[in-house]
Amino acid sequence: MVLCAALLAEFCLGATTIPVSVVADALLSFDPDNYDHYVVLYQRLPRVLIALHAGALMACGGLVLQGLTRNPLASPTTMGINAGAMLFVLAGAYFLNLGIDGRGAAALLGGMFGFATCLGVARLAGLVQDQGGLALILSGALTSMLLFGIANAILLTDPTRRTDFLGWVSGNINHVYADQLFRIWWIGLAALALLCVLARPLTLIMLGTDKAASAGVNVRWVRCLALLAVVLAASSSVAVCGPLGFVGLVVPHIVRPFAGADLTRSLPGAALVGATACLLADLIARHAFLPAVVHTGLVLDLVGGVVFALIVRRYYLTAGRRASG
Amino acid sequence: MRCERAIDGRPVLRFTSGLEIGLGNLAAVAVLTVAAVVLTTLSLTVGFADTRVTDLAAAWHDGQDYELQFALLNVRLPRIVLGFMAGWCLALTGAMLQSLSQNPLADPGLLGLSQGSMVTILLLLLFVPSAPLGLIPVAAVVGGLAVVALLVWLMGGSTDGNSGLTLLLMGIAVDTMLSSVSSILILYAPPEISFAVSAWLAGSLFQASWGSIAALVPWFTLSLPAILLLGRAMRCYDLGDDTAMALGVPVTWSKPLILFVAVLLTSAAVTAVGPLVFLGVMAPHLAGFLSRSAGRARLVLSALTGGLLVVAADTLVRATTSDLALPLGLSLTLIGVPLFILTLRLRALATLRSE
């Protein structure tokens, strides 16, 4: 319901408000001479599609990561995947002059690199066995900081191209990125499909690796495939509209109380809620701060930071108090 | 004054009043000071206008080459002095916070204190544009204190079972929130302000001038008596609040006082150069490698190292990338993260060994 309302609002609201009937007309029988129709089809529709794509992928990625690492703070953002993908896309565009086609590949490589770095740092810090996996998140945050720093340095090397990427780097849902979406969408969809296929064995793994193994699940393979799918999903979303932070962190916490631990049910739920969250964030970004239009990533960071702090407080502090007292 | 051996076998200078100063620490201070002087000279010669050390002396005495003299006196020297003082303040704060929270990873930048100051300064600039410039430091202090209060509230006074990582993550969360708030605030600023502010948000020494130095000097001088008066308590806080109280430290008012001084110094440094992350972690640990110390000696050594680090980073950036204007905050992050990870690694090894 909320998704439908948000969809409608996204179509209708804007610099000019367009009535619902006109929107329906534009989608069903497009008239190239009508300005309103043009706006709906070439500006608002791409935005909606991008928001749906990014939101669904990030949310599902976060859900699976949180399940696999048993860590309420895990998400593509907090584990360095987004930052890695962003850095590689940027480096590819600056140093190798990669076109749009190369971007997807660069993002995938980068996502894997970021994830591997995060795990490597956590291992190096020797805190992998650390209870609750805080060290993993900390090393993810450090990795992201470092990669973002390098990305910023790369941006500064060429001021003329800087403006092209400035919006993208902070994560922005914008109709300009539509052609990237049309080249890359199938990667994200494939990743999502893979996750749906794996949903049943993954649910079993979350119950415990021993139980899953005794139920006939090849734990190693399923885990690797699922992680790969998550990295694919997150990086394809980054390749389109830049690192949208914290959808992957927040949405699973919203979905879990309603859908339970069963991934076959919670994955579609997460996808829906994630898409809605992105649409809403985009709406807020464009309308709440008038006359300025904010990047969507900023709004998500703001919300995400609050939720992050609350999760830390709820899961780690109260648990610690219970254990000690 | 005699040379003796302390209880742990290290040589110390003992004064008649009973004051002990470790020889190792004295040597470290001497080394750092010499390094600072050498680095300053080196740093003066690096830049767009190519100069050699001999030119410097000549320019100083003759006063003929006005262009060079201008570059030295009004561009490079303020940069170095300001960088050193800001680094000094931030490193000192880092050392204080680490003792106080018994968390070797505490840092004013990572915990969001710097961002808190930035946000309040931005608010002041945007909504009360007619406010006198003297109010800016006040706003910075208020912001820093607000973040401290927020962190204390969020942590709920709980004892930290996760070796301080929780506090750090909480700080990073607060930092993320505040930095997106300040990015949004910048959008509202008129273009000419927002351009200047975004350079400052990244942490830079571009705007260094004798005026900004004069604004920082009072705080810098304040840090000296603070080291003398508060340094002794630090040694006790390293052992934990309860032990500190048992050793006769008036915890109830000395802890807030130290926090207040720490916030004061951070916000002064932030007002001058913008947020510099990781300096507060790096400097005390590097100083610790140089010479083991506690209390006052640790504060002095950390502060010196901090100042030195900033000047070194700035010199390095100017020397290697002359056409690329890399902000100081960025270069410190690039250097700082690997060092921070190294610190984590060393800590892990230490705990492994002790088990």
Side-chain angles (χ1 to χ4, degrees):
Chain A
M1 280 302 289
V2 180
L3 176 69
C4 291
L7 265 178
L8 212 63
E10 175 84 15
F11 272 124
C12 297
L13 297 174
T16 56
T17 312
I18 300 172
V20 181
S21 56
V22 180
V23 172
D25 261 6
L27 292 179
L28 297 175
S29 57
F30 177 59
D31 171 15
D33 295 331
N34 189 330
Y35 177 72
D36 281 352
H37 284 199
Y38 185 83
V39 168
V40 167
L41 202 65
Y42 287 103
Q43 295 197 354
R44 303 220 176 132
L45 182 64
R47 289 185 89 111
V48 169
L49 288 179
I50 289 174
L52 291 180
H53 178 254
L57 288 178
M58 287 285 177
C60 290
L63 188 68
V64 173
L65 271 183
Q66 291 185 4
L68 277 182
T69 56
R70 293 170 187 286
N71 191 328
L73 287 171
S75 81
T77 320
T78 46
M79 302 193 53
I81 298 178
N82 280 358
M86 196 225 17
L87 175 64
F88 271 51
V89 169
L90 208 60
Y94 265 70
F95 299 125
L96 305 173
N97 271 319
L98 283 183
I100 294 174
D101 290 324
R103 263 193 180 194
L108 296 190
L109 274 180
M112 281 177 212
F113 172 77
F115 191 54
T117 317
C118 167
L119 292 184
V121 169
R123 208 182 154 73
L124 201 68
L127 296 161
V128 181
Q129 306 91 334
D130 173 55
Q131 261 187 341
L134 275 174
L136 196 62
I137 303 304
L138 183 66
S139 62
L142 287 175
T143 312
S144 302
M145 262 184 226
L146 182 63
L147 297 181
F148 267 105
I150 298 176
N152 272 328
I154 294 178
L155 273 181
L156 282 173
T157 54
D158 193 349
T160 47
R161 296 175 67 182
R162 187 163 177 229
T163 40
D164 297 349
F165 281 99
L166 211 53
W168 181 81
V169 161
S170 62
N172 195 7
I173 294 177
N174 193 324
H175 56 88
V176 178
Y177 306 131
D179 44 347
Q180 288 156 36
L181 178 70
F182 293 129
R183 306 277 178 109
I184 295 171
W185 63 271
W186 57 271
I187 301 179
L189 216 60
L192 212 55
L194 186 57
L195 282 181
C196 286
V197 172
L198 291 175
R200 259 185 66 78
L202 273 177
T203 313
L204 284 173
I205 287 181
M206 283 173 202
L207 292 176
T209 44
D210 298 344
K211 279 183 191 156
S214 66
V217 176
N218 189 339
V219 175
R220 241 184 107 82
W221 268 100
V222 170
R223 238 193 208 158
C224 287
L225 273 180
L227 284 181
L228 185 71
V230 169
V231 174
L232 278 179
S235 5
S236 79
S237 133
V238 172
V240 173
C241 56
L244 284 180
F246 290 109
V247 186
L249 175 72
V250 178
V251 171
H253 290 282
I254 305 175
V255 173
R256 210 169 287 126
F258 297 107
D262 187 1
L263 273 184
T264 47
R265 274 168 53 199
S266 57
L267 262 183
L272 278 182
V273 178
T276 317
C278 265
L279 280 178
L280 285 179
D282 188 38
L283 272 176
I284 294 174
R286 283 195 301 155
H287 300 294
F289 303 100
L290 287 175
V293 172
V294 193
H295 292 159
T296 321
L298 282 182
V299 175
L300 285 171
D301 270 356
L302 189 60
V303 179
V306 177
V307 177
F308 189 94
L310 288 181
I311 294 174
V312 171
R313 187 170 158 79
R314 172 150 169 230
Y315 280 84
Y316 291 103
L317 292 183
T318 49
R321 213 175 293 148
R322 220 173 291 144
S324 63
Chain B
M1 189 174 81
R2 291 170 300 167
C3 200
E4 283 182 4
R5 293 217 164 256
I7 303 170
D8 60 355
R10 284 185 295 171
V12 290
L13 278 183
R14 189 180 307 243
F15 291 86
T16 39
S17 60
L19 182 70
E20 283 181 13
I21 298 180
L23 273 184
N25 293 342
L26 267 186
V29 168
V31 167
L32 283 175
T33 319
V34 170
V37 171
V38 170
L39 199 65
T40 308
T41 331
L42 196 68
S43 179
L44 277 174
T45 62
V46 172
F48 271 123
D50 199 27
T51 40
R52 259 169 275 119
V53 180
T54 44
D55 289 349
L56 284 182
W60 201 265
H61 289 298
D62 300 352
Q64 295 290 328
D65 192 346
Y66 286 114
E67 205 173 308
L68 185 62
Q69 211 169 25
F70 179 80
L72 288 182
L73 276 184
N74 289 331
V75 180
R76 291 188 197 164
L77 201 57
R79 240 182 121 119
I80 296 169
V81 174
L82 190 69
F84 186 82
M85 290 201 300
W88 171 287
C89 290
L90 283 174
L92 196 61
T93 319
M96 283 179 175
L97 287 180
Q98 285 168 20
S99 290
L100 218 55
S101 62
Q102 294 164 59
N103 183 343
L105 302 175
D107 171 274
L110 276 183
L111 290 185
L113 299 191
S114 310
Q115 282 292 349
S117 303
M118 317 259 343
V119 169
T120 41
I121 293 176
L122 277 178
L123 281 176
L124 185 76
L125 284 179
L126 286 181
F127 294 110
V128 200
S130 56
L133 284 178
L135 268 183
I136 289 183
V138 181
V141 172
V142 169
L145 283 178
V147 170
V148 168
L150 183 69
L151 278 179
V152 168
W153 175 71
L154 278 173
M155 297 299 291
S158 70
T159 47
D160 200 333
N162 279 304
S163 54
L165 294 185
T166 320
L167 176 66
L168 211 57
L169 278 178
M170 201 65 106
I172 291 177
V174 172
D175 197 46
T176 317
M177 268 187 290
L178 291 176
S179 66
S180 59
V181 168
S182 55
S183 320
I184 291 175
L185 283 177
I186 284 187
L187 286 177
Y188 282 104
E192 69 273 9
I193 293 186
S194 79
F195 189 73
V197 165
S198 49
W200 170 62
L201 270 179
S204 76
L205 293 174
F206 296 134
Q207 289 150 338
S209 66
W210 291 112
S212 52
I213 290 178
L216 189 54
V217 161
W219 310 108
F220 179 73
T221 26
L222 175 86
S223 73
L224 299 175
I227 291 177
L228 279 182
L229 292 177
L230 303 175
R232 180 160 290 172
M234 289 300 159
R235 195 192 287 256
C236 304
Y237 277 119
D238 278 337
L239 301 171
D241 281 0
D242 297 344
T243 321
M245 209 185 292
L247 285 172
V249 177
V251 173
T252 41
W253 61 265
S254 107
K255 204 167 179 176
L257 181 69
I258 294 174
L259 258 183
F260 184 69
V261 171
V263 170
L264 219 58
L265 291 177
T266 317
S267 35
V270 169
T271 320
V273 298
L276 303 178
V277 191
F278 287 112
L279 197 65
V281 192
M282 271 194 290
H285 284 281
L286 287 180
F289 289 130
L290 211 59
S291 160
R292 267 191 321 137
S293 55
R296 287 174 194 162
R298 178 157 179 271
L299 290 186
V300 173
L301 281 177
S302 312
L304 266 177
T305 319
L308 204 61
L309 271 178
V310 171
V311 178
D314 185 45
T315 314
L316 207 66
V317 166
R318 278 193 293 153
T320 51
T321 56
S322 50
D323 53 337
L324 177 81
L326 207 61
L328 182 64
L330 194 54
S331 49
L332 271 179
T333 308
L334 293 186
I335 305 171
V337 175
L339 280 176
F340 190 80
I341 293 171
L342 196 70
T343 314
L344 278 176
R345 174 72 182 157
L346 289 175
R347 242 185 93 203
L349 285 182
T351 44
L352 274 185
R353 223 176 286 134
S354 67
E355 269 166 12

